[in-house]
Amino acid sequence: MSKPRIPQATSKRLPLYYRFLRNYADKGVQRISSGELSEAMKIDAATIRRDFSHFGALGRKGYGYDVDSLLQFFRETLDQDEETKVALIGVGSLGNAFLKYNFQKIHNTKIVVAFDPKAPHEGELKNEILIYPPDRLEEKINELGIEMVILTVPSRVAQELTDRLATTSVKGILNFTPERLAVPDTIRIQTIDLSVELQTLIYLIKTDVKDSQIR
């Protein structure tokens, strides 16, 4: 059975729902309403109900949602029981932070290999992860069956590396460079430009201040 197509905004909230439901289950909570989820997650209750409606009847009117059932549903929807192997390309300051963190709170996702120009051809071990030079990129990604990549490299080499990834088993790239990378239809890409996010936050803060002064 194919998964329903849902809006991108809803897709981004699914891991949050799973995280909060796991917390409720760990505390022994058996039933929860959209209003209670809304208060905990700071997401409008109508938005939560609309998100859930994309997947059919997940709750019952007057009862709310069974936490264990909902948690199991999102576990299966997000493939939480299937391990996702991730490759990291670029072991600079940000890359090192990823190596140390390595998705410790996401048990089904793990960086299993990394690439950096300073690494020796035979590889070197850091934070229990083997790091190889970029000339072994295609070899190791195909050998390990990597489908997800985190890209934390200088902008000048980002597209070149992306073109090389397009010839491998990779299906998704989390791009931390400011470049808008061109990829084939077989690859999904998500760009996180930290400078843009910061500038957006500064703008919103200043706008809020101006609005409060006007009122």
Side-chain angles (χ1 to χ4, degrees), residues 81-164:
D81 295 323
E82 182 177 332
E83 184 180 70
T84 300
K85 297 177 182 178
V86 179
L88 172 70
I89 304 180
V91 189
S93 299
L94 182 58
N96 266 302
F98 274 116
L99 287 184
K100 291 177 182 177
Y101 169 61
N102 204 0
F103 305 100
Q104 294 171 16
K105 296 182 180 180
I106 309 176
H107 303 300
N108 72 322
T109 303
K110 186 177 182 181
I111 297 172
V112 297
V113 68
F115 300 92
D116 191 83
K118 296 179 181 178
H121 181 79
E122 67 277 10
E124 63 179 354
L125 199 62
K126 189 171 186 178
N127 294 102
E128 300 181 354
I129 298 167
L130 276 168
I131 306 174
Y132 295 96
D135 61 5
R136 303 193 68 182
L137 185 72
E138 292 87 347
E139 171 199 348
K140 288 297 175 182
I141 282 183
N142 287 325
E143 177 186 309
L144 295 167
I146 301 291
E147 295 187 341
M148 302 293 295
V149 166
I150 299 173
L151 201 59
T152 60
V153 298
S155 296
R156 66 181 182 276
V157 298
Q159 185 61 60
E160 176 192 341
L161 286 167
T162 300
D163 292 341
R164 291 174 60 187

Side-chain angles (χ1 to χ4, degrees), residues 189-208:
I189 189 163
Q190 185 168 333
T191 297
I192 300 177
D193 189 330
L194 298 179
S195 62
V196 169
E197 297 295 335
L198 181 58
Q199 288 173 335
T200 301
L201 181 59
I202 292 170
Y203 168 77
L204 291 172
I205 291 172
K206 290 183 177 180
T207 302
D208 288 342

Side-chain angles (χ1 to χ4, degrees), residues 23-54:
N23 290 339
Y24 279 116
D26 290 343
K27 293 175 182 176
V29 177
Q30 297 179 341
R31 183 175 66 176
I32 192 169
S33 68
S34 57
E36 290 169 322
L37 262 179
S38 170
E39 185 175 345
M41 298 180 67
K42 309 306 179 189
I43 297 175
D44 184 70
T47 298
I48 293 174
R49 289 192 294 271
R50 186 167 58 250
D51 285 347
F52 287 6
S53 71
H54 291 293

